[in-house]
Amino acid sequence: DTPNTPRYGLFSSGGASGEDCLHAIVQMGPSLLRTDGGLMVVVSEFMNPPPLSPTYQKASNEDNSLTTKMGEWWGSQLASSSDGTGILFTNEFDISSDIYAQRRAVTNDQEDTDVWSNHLHRSGIHSVSPGLLFIQTSNSRSEPRGNGLQLKHYFVPKTKHGSIWTPHNFAAVEFTQGVLLDLFR
């Protein structure tokens, strides 16, 4: 249980785990988007992003709870839903929940940092990354194929100019644009 206090703001209105809002958006996506190429874009902080794999920019093929959960959420309250294809971008290097707790806590307040850290650990959150989520419904006017949401994950490379949300990180912008072109073809 997480109180709705200034410390949490009910985890920035994302619920105790920070994912309630994301869950609702992904769950309602098929009913709100056009079925012939509707697009959803989410800019958020993602809890427990996929781990970095040796292939560097593409996530490992291992089952990951974040991408798996989003696939399960997609239209889960509907009798039938549109198929979707998506891409999740996160930073090449996520941050630990302890560092995230320090950043979210009141400056120089160890008690507040401890409250955040304990809450994140109780919620099963071990890492956090800013990210971008793009989901597009199938460009087909026919009946859904029953594939649900096919979600790929990519790491946005960090450079000396910063990471995914750094506006002047041109390498991150170019990388993101290149991957997105594949989604919209």
Side-chain angles (χ1 to χ4, degrees):
D1 293 333
T2 304
N4 189 3
T5 67
R7 277 193 175 120
Y8 301 108
L10 200 55
F11 205 117
S12 298
S13 300
S17 71
E19 289 186 337
D20 290 353
C21 186
L22 177 64
H23 182 158
I25 290 168
V26 172
Q27 186 176 51
M28 293 184 310
S31 64
L32 299 175
L33 296 173
R34 291 176 32 172
T35 59
D36 60 345
L39 179 65
M40 171 192 311
V41 179
V42 177
V43 178
S44 187
E45 292 176 321
F46 293 93
M47 308 301 133
N48 299 331
L52 186 63
S53 73
T55 59
Y56 180 66
Q57 292 176 335
K58 193 166 183 179
S60 66
N61 291 329
E62 296 176 21
D63 187 50
N64 173 267
S65 62
L66 177 61
T67 53
T68 300
K69 283 191 290 188
M70 284 194 275
E72 292 168 355
W73 296 340
W74 180 253
S76 61
Q77 298 295 315
L78 304 173
S80 80
S81 67
S82 300
D83 292 331
T85 302
I87 296 175
L88 171 65
F89 293 103
T90 59
N91 273 341
E92 177 182 3
F93 302 106
D94 55 22
I95 60 170
S96 72
S97 58
D98 291 330
I99 291 172
Y100 186 77
Q102 291 170 358
R103 292 180 180 180
R104 295 291 297 205
V106 174
T107 305
N108 297 323
D109 186 336
Q110 187 58 48
E111 180 184 348
D112 199 34
T113 300
D114 292 343
V115 169
W116 266 103
S117 186
N118 290 334
H119 172 75
L120 294 170
H121 288 280
R122 278 193 316 272
S123 297
I125 298 169
H126 53 79
S127 60
V128 180
S129 177
L132 308 168
L133 174 65
F134 294 82
I135 299 175
Q136 184 176 38
T137 58
S138 299
N139 275 321
S140 170
R141 295 186 187 274
S142 63
E143 291 296 312
R145 295 181 305 272
N147 294 331
L149 176 62
Q150 303 301 310
L151 189 62
K152 293 180 182 177
H153 174 254
Y154 289 88
F155 293 105
V156 176
K158 182 176 182 172
T159 69
K160 65 181 181 178
H161 300 291
S163 58
I164 194 169
W165 283 357
T166 309
H168 52 273
N169 183 355
F170 299 111
V173 172
E174 287 177 358
F175 175 79
T176 304
Q177 286 175 336
V179 173
L180 286 175
L181 287 175
D182 289 338
L183 177 65
F184 297 117
R185 287 180 202 228

